[in-house]
Amino acid sequence: MLVAKVGLDGHDRGAKVVARALRDAGFEAIYTGLHRTPEEIVEIALQEDVQVIGVSILSGAHMTLLPRIASLLRERGMERQVLLVAGGIIPDEDVEALQREGVAAVFGPGAATRQIVEFLRERLGMTDSRPAPAPPVRPSAKTAGGERPLAPSH
Amino acid sequence: MPPATDPRPAPTASLGEPSDGLDRYARPQPSELVERMLAGDRRALARLLTLVENQTAEGEEALRLLPRRGAGERGHVIGFTGSPGAGKSTLVGKVIDGFRARGEKVGVLAIDPSSPFSHGALLGDRIRMLGREQDQAVYIRSLSSRGHPGGVAAATAGMARLLEAFGMGRILVETVGAGQSELAIMGLAQTVVLVFNPGAGDEIQGLKAGIMEIGDLLVVNKADLPGAREAAGFLKAALRVGPPPQPGSWEVPVLLVSAATGEGIDLLIQGLEEHRRYLEASGEGGRRRRLQAENELANLIRERLARQVLDRARREGEWDRLIEALSSGDLDPHTAADRLLGA
């Protein structure tokens, strides 16, 4: 799963919390770091063959950036394979418009990580809530992350 | 007995429906994916990498369909390993740039540890290699160190083959640590680079036998920091211990680089190219390829046989009975194994 931070917004603690929660839930999460462009995010999503892109936006630019990502996914023929979800500061009144643009779900600041994980599991067709002992279906939600590595640095 | 097919769930929506359902797994045949990949389709490559990583039947078929390559046409697989914090990912990023400056295409497999409990992972190497997404001659893929049937080394081997078939002349494989699986992964590489931190003196004392032997080039990263020169000195001294090199054999260089500033990277790139030429000229390349082929085949056979035996035993309940007997001390492991293997 890709956890992405797009644009100028410089706050990534929430994104990192989500990325860690995804890891603890048995997913493979890739954090993209801060200030990625929509083009970069979609290219990373392609190379890593992710199933989910989770975009974290706190800057208010969601109505430009999210549709741009959705449109790039369509351009590259990826929109049927990649679930696009968003989190951060996104007003309720914009959610419907975003969903029309192809964002499957929007998680506001109060959303519990468990809620996000359950939503993703359900949409990805993983009904068993325990971590799989067999190799995980590769739900590579890429999580774009900020400056600090989420994983121990090498 | 064929391995499990692609374990991902079947499509929940058919083609043509609105993208409300996830139609991820409308599945082109492996042959079609391979054809598209060979024609330069990066998405086909991405999906093949996933199929091969998960060791599905489709992945194995795809590998069989890859064109055979002669020794001279193979990609150069370069392994990077070392302690956490040595800056390997940043270094790999600079090596990508160095090869790109020479007009070469580069594939990267970045392997990160995953949790033994949740089997999840934060794949954090990629974040050090950002900025190259728009370059179509670079392809970077992250993978976790666990959760691969047959082991991560087998998954990595298959994925490296795909990158090679796609046209990548250099394939950089990055992993961390020096455990068994890292050694197995480094065994896939033609050239192995060990990356050290400054202040590595203690580290070197503590290195297990064998890790130094696998390094073809030793790199002390963060050359701008204190202790870097001393670390390089330690490494050179450590190399002098042991039997003197045969004439004509490769002399392992100790290089000081700074991945942050780019200092020393040119020499590293040169060293990598020199090693590649050395491998071909000396026949050492052929020897290593034979060793790799042996390891790969032996592992594959072990993996298949084990899977067959275990699957049958589990299905028939024999496994549970034996485990029960073992746990209660009624049976010893060797006798249990004899029974499983029908000896």
Side-chain angles (χ1 to χ4, degrees):
Chain A
M1 306 196 170
L2 194 62
V3 170
K5 293 274 328 169
V6 62
L8 299 174
D9 162 17
H11 297 85
D12 63 359
R13 187 192 298 162
K16 288 177 180 169
V17 166
V18 170
R20 278 191 283 263
L22 292 173
R23 174 200 57 199
D24 294 340
F27 297 116
E28 287 179 358
I30 299 173
Y31 176 48
T32 67
L34 285 174
H35 309 308
R36 304 269 60 88
T37 66
E39 290 75 11
E40 285 166 352
I41 289 170
V42 171
E43 177 64 27
I44 295 174
L46 182 150
Q47 289 183 20
E48 301 284 0
D49 196 24
V50 301
Q51 290 169 278
V52 178
I53 300 178
V55 185
S56 160
I57 306 190
L58 299 165
S59 63
H62 51 278
M63 290 308 292
T64 343
L65 296 174
L66 287 170
R68 176 83 186 121
I69 293 173
S71 135
L72 284 168
L73 287 174
R74 279 191 295 274
E75 238 174 78
R76 308 195 71 173
M78 292 164 68
E79 81 282 9
R80 304 194 65 82
Q81 281 93 43
V82 180
L83 194 65
L84 179 61
V85 302
I89 306 287
I90 297 175
D92 289 341
E93 54 261 29
D94 290 341
V95 170
E96 210 183 301
L98 287 173
Q99 286 179 325
R100 276 197 304 273
E101 292 280 351
V103 180
V106 174
F107 297 100
T113 52
R114 178 168 347 125
Q115 202 185 329
I116 301 175
V117 167
E118 277 172 12
F119 172 82
L120 292 174
R121 278 218 179 100
E122 200 224 328
R123 288 301 294 270
L124 295 172
M126 302 161 75
T127 48
D128 183 5
S129 62
R130 286 171 295 113
V137 168
R138 195 199 157 92
S140 51
K142 294 197 188 214
T143 51
E147 316 94 353
R148 292 174 152 274
L150 295 170
S153 56
H154 298 312
Chain B
M1 182 170 141
T5 50
D6 190 348
R8 293 174 295 182
T12 54
S14 56
L15 286 169
E17 283 184 24
S19 58
D20 179 51
L22 261 200
D23 178 30
R24 182 175 175 76
Y25 309 115
R27 291 177 204 167
Q29 290 298 306
S31 51
E32 193 192 321
L33 283 173
V34 170
E35 205 181 302
R36 286 183 358 210
M37 179 273 284
L38 292 172
D41 182 342
R42 289 158 81 79
R43 275 192 67 227
L45 174 61
R47 294 178 62 186
L48 285 169
L49 284 167
T50 304
L51 290 170
V52 165
E53 185 187 355
N54 294 335
Q55 290 194 258
T56 60
E58 289 95 332
E60 289 182 16
E61 194 189 324
L63 289 175
R64 276 187 251 260
L65 293 169
L66 295 181
R68 307 246 175 284
R69 284 168 174 248
E73 306 167 301
R74 315 252 351 228
H76 182 201
V77 180
I78 305 172
F80 292 82
T81 190
S83 308
K88 285 182 297 305
S89 300
T90 318
L91 183 66
V92 169
K94 287 296 199 285
V95 171
I96 297 173
D97 295 340
F99 281 126
R100 289 296 300 123
R102 296 161 56 110
E104 304 195 39
K105 296 188 181 178
V106 185
V108 180
L109 294 171
I111 303 167
D112 249 309
S114 51
S115 160
F117 303 111
S118 73
H119 298 288
L122 273 171
L123 305 181
D125 293 332
R126 183 164 201 137
I127 198 177
R128 310 285 196 197
M129 302 182 200
L130 295 168
R132 299 163 179 96
E133 289 74 27
Q134 302 306 89
D135 186 348
Q136 297 288 293
V138 176
Y139 192 104
I140 299 173
R141 177 77 171 228
S142 311
L143 58 156
S144 70
S145 62
R146 287 169 189 267
H148 303 284
V152 61
T156 309
M159 293 167 87
R161 275 222 198 82
L162 283 171
L163 289 170
E164 177 188 72
F166 186 67
M168 301 319 199
R170 309 273 180 179
I171 295 145
L172 313 180
V173 178
E174 185 206 334
T175 182
V176 64
Q180 276 305 105
S181 63
E182 286 75 43
L183 287 179
I185 295 165
M186 290 298 113
L188 303 170
Q190 280 101 48
T191 301
V192 175
V193 179
L194 295 185
V195 186
F196 294 91
N197 269 310
D202 291 343
E203 201 181 313
I204 296 161
Q205 313 286 0
L207 282 176
K208 294 187 185 149
I211 192 64
M212 287 282 279
E213 292 165 28
I214 72 166
D216 297 304
L217 291 90
L218 305 188
V219 169
V220 177
N221 198 12
K222 310 186 192 176
D224 45 309
L225 292 186
R229 298 206 171 273
E230 286 80 359
F234 268 121
L235 288 171
K236 289 179 182 154
L239 286 172
R240 280 194 289 272
V241 172
Q246 310 273 28
S249 70
W250 174 257
E251 274 185 56
V252 178
V254 178
L255 301 170
L256 274 166
V257 307
S258 167
T261 66
E263 177 195 332
I265 299 292
D266 284 344
L267 286 176
L268 174 57
I269 299 286
Q270 255 181 58
L272 293 172
E273 174 57 16
E274 274 167 26
H275 190 250
R276 196 253 286 268
R277 284 200 227 121
Y278 160 77
L279 288 173
E280 291 319 308
S282 66
E284 175 66 14
R287 196 189 70 82
R288 288 191 190 188
R289 268 195 294 276
R290 276 192 292 280
L291 202 59
Q292 281 161 9
E294 250 188 77
N295 286 336
E296 194 178 349
L297 191 56
N299 283 336
L300 204 53
I301 290 171
R302 265 194 287 266
E303 154 66 20
R304 283 206 194 162
L305 287 175
R307 212 184 326 176
Q308 278 174 29
V309 171
L310 292 177
D311 284 350
R312 184 186 44 80
R314 285 195 173 117
R315 257 202 320 272
E316 296 170 2
E318 194 184 355
W319 182 257
D320 288 335
R321 284 192 292 275
L322 288 171
I323 296 298
E324 194 51 52
L326 278 174
S327 320
S328 59
D330 291 335
L331 197 62
D332 73 280
H334 291 283
T335 311
D338 285 343
R339 290 200 192 160
L340 269 180
L341 296 170

